[in-house]
């Protein structure tokens, strides 16, 4: 439903914060500024780790955001910044969320 919302709603922080908390993938429809908003992105990745895919690059570099995304879904690893992928602090998070993760 968010997909078809008016641009004004997609740029409204409170509306999008509620939307991503219900469905993290709603982040893809959020205004660009909100895809760089830490609270909005955290809300999205806590609901669906793979929502990291639609976060602004700076958010994909944010260690807390990346940890939350991987904690929720180890598949989010592919969307985090390359600089964080080798961070050994992420390995236990991956192992807990997916026993087959490397």
């Amino acid at each position: 439903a968010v997909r078809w919302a008016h641009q004004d709603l997609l740029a409204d922080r409170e509306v999008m914060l509620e939307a991503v908390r219900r469905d993290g993938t709603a982040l893809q429809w959020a205004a660009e500024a909100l895809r760089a908003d830490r609270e909005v992105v955290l809300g999205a990745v806590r609901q669906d780790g793979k929502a990291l895919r639609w976060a602004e690059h700076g958010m994909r570099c944010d260690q807390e955001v990346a940890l939350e995304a991987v904690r929720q879904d180890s598949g989010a690893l592919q969307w985090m910044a390359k600089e964080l992928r080798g961070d050994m602090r992420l390995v236990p998070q991956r192992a807990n969320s997916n026993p087959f993760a490397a």
Side-chain angles (χ1 to χ4, degrees):
V2 173
R3 178 180 186 173
W4 309 111
H6 189 275
Q7 294 289 42
D8 290 346
L9 291 176
L10 299 177
D12 184 297
R13 187 174 189 273
E14 295 306 313
V15 169
M16 290 308 298
L17 193 52
E18 183 62 30
V20 299
R21 286 178 176 160
R22 292 174 185 253
D23 178 1
T25 65
L27 186 62
Q28 69 186 300
W29 309 112
E32 187 175 343
L34 295 179
R35 292 191 310 252
D37 182 300
R38 195 164 197 271
E39 187 177 359
V40 172
V41 173
L42 277 170
V45 300
R46 286 178 176 145
Q47 198 285 322
D48 184 337
K50 290 181 185 171
L52 188 61
R53 170 185 194 167
W54 295 291
E56 183 270 333
H57 180 73
M59 290 291 95
R60 294 193 312 263
C61 293
D62 183 295
Q63 190 173 52
E64 182 184 358
V65 170
L67 282 169
E68 287 292 333
V70 172
R71 183 177 294 135
Q72 201 286 325
D73 186 329
S74 64
L77 183 63
Q78 68 181 315
W79 303 111
M80 72 174 55
K82 290 177 185 177
E83 302 84 18
L84 294 180
R85 289 185 197 160
D87 190 331
M88 293 306 292
R89 290 172 287 192
L90 297 177
V91 173
Q93 299 300 325
R94 290 194 328 225
N96 289 340
S97 61
N98 182 348
F100 301 105

